[in-house]
């Protein structure tokens, strides 16, 4: 693994007739031949770009631009290091 970027998402759960929101955490892992997320795997040839948009507050959005569309992930810290490492191994 070359680099890893922590991501978060919120899961809504109903227990005993009460609604709870649980924050889950995982990461997006960069390898020489693929990018692995908690939900999908993308071969490097299928990724066009990666970008980041900070929001006010503590979150921002990390975007993976792929041949299947743009996938967005919530991040608490800037993925600029991850994006820089991706650009080094990106297939042109």
């Amino acid at each position: 693994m070359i680099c890893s970027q922590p991501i978060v998402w919120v899961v809504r759960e109903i227990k005993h007739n009460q609604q709870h929101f649980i924050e889950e955490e995982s990461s997006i892992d960069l390898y020489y031949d693929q990018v692995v997320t908690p939900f999908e795997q993308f071969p490097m040839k299928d990724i066009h770009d990666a970008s980041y948009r900070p929001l006010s507050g503590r979150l921002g959005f990390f975007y993976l631009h792929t041949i299947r569309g743009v996938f967005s992930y919530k991040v608490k810290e800037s993925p600029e290091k991850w994006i820089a490492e991706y650009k080094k191994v990106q297939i042109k």
Side-chain angles (χ1 to χ4, degrees):
M1 180 171 50
I2 299 170
C3 195
S4 183
Q5 173 64 43
I7 61 170
V8 296
W9 65 94
V10 176
V11 176
R12 184 178 75 127
E13 187 176 273
I14 298 176
K15 279 188 179 178
H16 307 292
N17 227 12
Q18 291 186 339
Q19 180 172 261
H20 302 276
F21 293 95
I22 301 165
E23 186 174 88
E24 301 278 337
E25 294 185 13
S26 191
S27 63
I28 298 177
D29 301 326
L30 175 65
Y31 296 88
Y32 286 103
D33 61 341
Q34 68 180 341
V35 173
V36 178
T37 75
F39 313 106
E40 308 205 51
Q41 294 181 345
F42 301 98
M44 286 299 281
K45 66 180 179 55
D46 291 354
I47 300 173
H48 298 302
D49 198 10
S51 61
Y52 172 62
R53 180 172 181 210
L55 298 175
S56 60
R58 63 184 191 112
L59 292 176
F61 282 102
F62 175 48
Y63 299 101
L64 276 181
H65 306 262
T66 74
I67 63 170
R68 293 187 288 162
V70 178
F71 292 79
S72 64
Y73 304 93
K74 291 180 187 174
V75 294
K76 289 184 177 179
E77 52 194 57
S78 171
E80 295 299 328
K81 180 181 181 232
W82 194 100
I83 293 171
E85 291 298 322
Y86 162 74
K87 290 188 186 289
K88 289 179 187 176
V89 297
Q90 177 182 26
I91 298 171
K92 304 227 180 215

